[in-house]
């Protein structure tokens, strides 16, 4: 018998916690094994992501109504409490009694049954106090927002520093929203209407992207790979912001494009579509295994102009000097712009990202050698930290007076970028957080 949505969510939370796994890998593994029906899979997904997105706030509520501190509870019991509290506090359509009694049943079946009394008591108290849950407080705004939106305090301070308290709060709220899955239409093979038709035939809730042409947004679905539109090479998963980074580079038919940090291939694919599959794209990455995904994707999508090559973007390759019309430097980064889709990213330790600006500078410096005179280097990241974005661009420009920032314009809310670099903020554009910087080499 297939497991219930809550049981599947518990299994995914356990897997995520034990393996230190990525959220999507943990969830997909459970959905693949347990095969809940599509309604249960959607609820399981909502609960699982909701718990990861709101864990600090949920623990604050649990701590307020429990005689045992969350940090002292058995992990499995805490997972069950969290997923039950998430339903009570955040999901309006779940009957209170169902959330409480299923939580208690989960403890009896999957955890220490002696904890059933505690779980029952905590859930009942929270259910009775839904209208007057304990206030979220903190020594200052950053501490309060960190708890309210379950982000680490240092990151909240960095966002407040850039956006002010209101802007930072809007961003944190966007980070905890349901982004859906954004996919680009392979214009070599299909158009938006036919893709939407195919997706709906497969039972998927899908709509055209609100402002980016040839882009669709899928809701309440996982395992995109099983969909006809995917299998027939008509779509590939990519956020609108990532597609815009390629649009800023304006690849055209016949050009030679070098994608220096290419795997899993999204930007190479968008470039290939813009080039009408004519010209040459060299998609490089340091990881051979990851490059296999670029080759597989290119074959599925029918982009014959993409070739792959294992290459360290920090190591000069003289044969490529001065050769490319466009070089894409979509560098490894801390990823704090994609917290909506990968909620676990927020928990990366600040010190683990400290070395990135140096690596990014070295990559930009080396890849710029491959740009031919008059050609373009587009530097992009999916993070929102100044040190990996504007500061890297400034350092690059101070070392390279043969490059200059070139203005560009993009569709939708981004519009004109007269300064030649821009940050896309999720709360403003509805996209992933992204940084795009367009650098022209002097002829
Ligand atoms: C942000 S991801 C690229 C995403 C890709 N451009 C896309 O749109 O699908 C960064 C990539 O850089 C690669 N990478 C990390 N260090 C590298 C290096 N020294 N040289 C080349 N690639 C590197 C990683 O393996 C990773 O695939």
């Amino acid at each position: 018998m297939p497991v219930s949505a809550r049981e599947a969510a518990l299994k995914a939370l356990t897997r995520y916690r034990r393996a230190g796994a990525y959220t999507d890998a943990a969830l997909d593994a459970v959905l693949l094994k347990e095969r809940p029906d599509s309604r249960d899979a959607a609820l399981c997904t909502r609960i699982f992501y909701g718990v990861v997105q709101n864990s600090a706030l949920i623990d604050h509520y649990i701590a307020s109504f429990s005689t045992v501190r969350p940090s002292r509870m058995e992990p499995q019991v805490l997972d069950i409490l969290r997923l039950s509290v998430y339903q009570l506090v955040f999901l309006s359509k779940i009957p209170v009694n169902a959330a409480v009694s299923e939580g208690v049943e989960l403890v009896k079946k999957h955890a220490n049954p002696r904890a059933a009394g505690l779980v029952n008591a905590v859930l009942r108290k929270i259910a009775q106090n839904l209208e007057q849950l304990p206030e979220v407080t903190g020594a200052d705004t950053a501490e309060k927002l960190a708890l309210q939106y379950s982000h680490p305090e240092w990151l909240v301070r960095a966002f407040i520093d850039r956006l002010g308290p209101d802007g930072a709060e809007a961003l944190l709220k966007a980070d905890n929203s349901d982004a859906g899955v954004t996919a680009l239409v392979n214009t070599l093979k299909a158009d938006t209407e036919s893709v939407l038709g195919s997706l709906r035939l497969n039972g998927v809730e899908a709509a055209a992207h609100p402002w980016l042409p040839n882009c669709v947004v899928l809701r309440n679905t996982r395992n995109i790979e099983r969909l006809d539109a995917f299998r027939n090479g008509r779509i590939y998963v990519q956020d609108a912001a990532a597609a815009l980074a390629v649009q800023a580079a304006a690849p055209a038919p016949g050009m030679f494009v070098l994608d220096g940090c290419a795997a899993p291939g999204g930007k190479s694919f968008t470039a290939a579509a813009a080039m009408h599959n004519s010209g040459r794209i060299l998609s490089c990455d340091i990881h051979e295994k990851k490059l296999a995904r670029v080759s597989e994707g290119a074959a599925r999508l029918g982009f014959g102009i993409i070739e792959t090559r294992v290459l360290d973007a920090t190591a000069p390759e003289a044969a490529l000097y001065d050769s490319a019309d466009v070089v894409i430097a979509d560098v490894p980064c801390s990823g704090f712009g994609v917290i909506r889709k990968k909620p676990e990213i927020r928990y990366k330790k600040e010190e683990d990202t400290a070395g990135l600006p140096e690596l990014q500078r070295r990559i930009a410096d080396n890849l710029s050698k491959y740009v031919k005179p008059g050609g373009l280097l587009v530097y992009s990241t999916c993070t929102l930290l100044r040190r990996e974005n504007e500061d890297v661009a400034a350092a690059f420009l101070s070392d390279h007076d043969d490059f200059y920032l070139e203005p560009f314009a993009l569709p939708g809310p981004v519009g004109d970028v007269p300064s030649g670099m821009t940050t896309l903020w999720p709360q403003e554009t509805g996209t992933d957080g992204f940084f795009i910087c367009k650098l022209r080499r002097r002829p």
Side-chain angles (χ1 to χ4, degrees):
M1 208 177 85
V3 298
S4 72
R6 294 166 183 91
E7 221 167 348
L10 174 62
K11 284 175 188 273
L13 284 170
T14 308
R15 199 178 178 102
Y16 166 64
R17 174 169 47 75
R18 285 197 184 140
Y22 293 115
T23 47
D24 53 357
L27 181 61
D28 286 344
V30 169
L31 293 180
L32 198 69
K33 181 155 180 259
E34 305 295 344
R35 301 199 167 277
D37 67 30
S38 60
R39 267 187 61 189
D40 277 349
L43 179 58
C44 160
T45 302
R46 189 65 248 127
I47 294 173
F48 172 68
Y49 279 117
V51 169
V52 181
Q53 285 165 337
N54 297 286
S55 59
L57 183 59
I58 291 172
D59 284 4
H60 171 66
Y61 293 146
I62 293 171
S64 307
F65 291 103
S66 171
T67 49
V68 181
R69 277 206 302 275
S71 58
R72 309 211 50 165
M73 291 177 184
E74 285 179 30
Q76 191 80 346
V77 172
L78 182 57
D79 280 343
I80 294 168
L81 266 175
R82 284 175 174 166
L83 68 88
S84 306
V85 173
Y86 175 74
Q87 294 166 69
L88 287 172
V89 176
F90 292 88
L91 296 184
S92 53
K93 287 187 185 145
I94 307 279
V96 167
N97 284 343
V100 175
S101 60
E102 286 226 26
V104 174
E105 285 313 307
L106 284 177
V107 176
K108 290 182 184 159
K109 192 166 163 194
H110 293 285
N112 184 347
R114 281 183 304 175
L118 171 76
V119 167
N120 186 41
V122 173
L123 293 180
R124 290 211 176 279
K125 278 188 219 156
I126 292 180
Q128 283 157 12
N129 287 283
L130 284 177
E131 301 305 320
Q132 59 262 322
L133 287 169
E135 211 189 322
V136 173
T137 54
D140 61 8
T141 309
E143 218 180 278
K144 188 173 162 212
L145 291 177
L147 178 57
Q148 177 82 45
Y149 297 100
S150 302
H151 278 61
E153 211 178 296
W154 76 268
L155 191 57
V156 175
R157 289 191 194 282
F159 290 158
I160 290 178
D161 183 44
R162 298 214 60 177
L163 302 167
D166 293 346
E169 180 163 12
L171 170 60
L172 299 171
K173 201 180 271 186
D175 276 353
N176 284 354
S177 67
D178 180 9
V181 177
T182 307
L184 267 286
V185 174
N186 176 3
T187 47
L188 283 191
K189 291 192 174 188
D191 57 24
T192 303
E193 273 317 301
S194 65
V195 162
L196 287 175
S198 165
L199 291 171
R200 286 171 191 149
L201 275 178
N202 281 169
V204 174
E205 197 184 319
H209 188 275
W211 48 263
L212 185 67
N214 303 315
C215 183
V216 293
V217 183
L218 288 61
R219 300 244 163 232
N220 299 325
T221 188
R222 296 196 65 80
N223 292 338
I224 308 295
E225 288 82 0
R226 78 189 150 77
L227 301 173
D228 291 331
F230 183 91
R231 290 194 290 119
N232 299 335
R234 285 155 202 262
I235 56 169
Y236 54 97
V237 173
Q238 181 171 64
D239 190 75
L244 291 186
V246 181
Q247 285 196 20
M255 281 184 172
F256 172 39
V257 173
L258 191 148
D259 188 356
C261 301
K267 307 226 172 27
S268 292
F269 302 155
T270 297
M275 292 160 72
H276 301 171
N277 204 24
S278 148
R280 181 182 172 217
I281 299 179
L282 185 58
S283 302
C284 308
D285 203 278
I286 200 166
H287 295 299
E288 187 168 8
K289 235 175 145 180
K290 287 195 193 174
L291 273 178
R293 290 189 58 198
V294 183
S295 310
E296 283 159 23
R300 180 177 61 79
L301 295 157
F303 293 141
I305 62 167
I306 293 179
E307 62 189 270
T308 60
R309 179 164 165 193
V310 179
L311 202 61
D312 178 351
T314 63
E317 177 68 15
L320 292 169
Y321 283 2
D322 305 326
S323 63
D325 297 284
V326 170
V327 170
I328 300 172
D330 187 39
V331 296
C333 71
S334 55
F336 294 122
V338 296
I339 291 176
R340 284 184 320 161
K341 293 183 181 153
K342 299 180 178 176
E344 70 277 17
I345 292 227
R346 73 190 73 190
Y347 300 117
K348 264 188 192 175
K349 295 209 163 49
E350 183 176 15
E351 57 269 28
D352 292 347
T353 68
L356 285 167
E358 169 62 18
L359 174 64
Q360 291 155 346
R361 283 176 68 162
R362 286 172 56 213
I363 290 179
D365 176 55
N366 184 53
L367 289 182
S368 73
K369 298 186 171 80
Y370 306 153
V371 180
K372 72 182 191 192
L376 270 178
L377 172 68
V378 171
Y379 175 87
S380 60
T381 73
C382 60
T383 197
L384 298 167
L385 299 182
R386 196 180 274 125
R387 64 176 180 237
E388 296 179 53
N389 295 342
E390 289 88 345
D391 290 355
V392 173
F396 177 85
L397 282 164
S398 81
D399 292 346
H400 294 269
D401 56 11
D402 51 336
F403 279 83
Y404 61 94
L405 287 163
E406 184 170 271
F408 56 99
L410 292 172
V414 184
D416 286 334
V417 184
S419 68
M421 57 177 154
T422 187
T423 301
L424 279 69
W425 296 96
Q427 75 279 17
E428 290 171 0
T429 56
T431 64
D432 285 349
F434 230 80
F435 177 72
I436 305 171
C437 175
K438 180 170 180 175
L439 297 148
R440 175 77 66 186
R441 183 171 172 192
R442 296 181 201 282

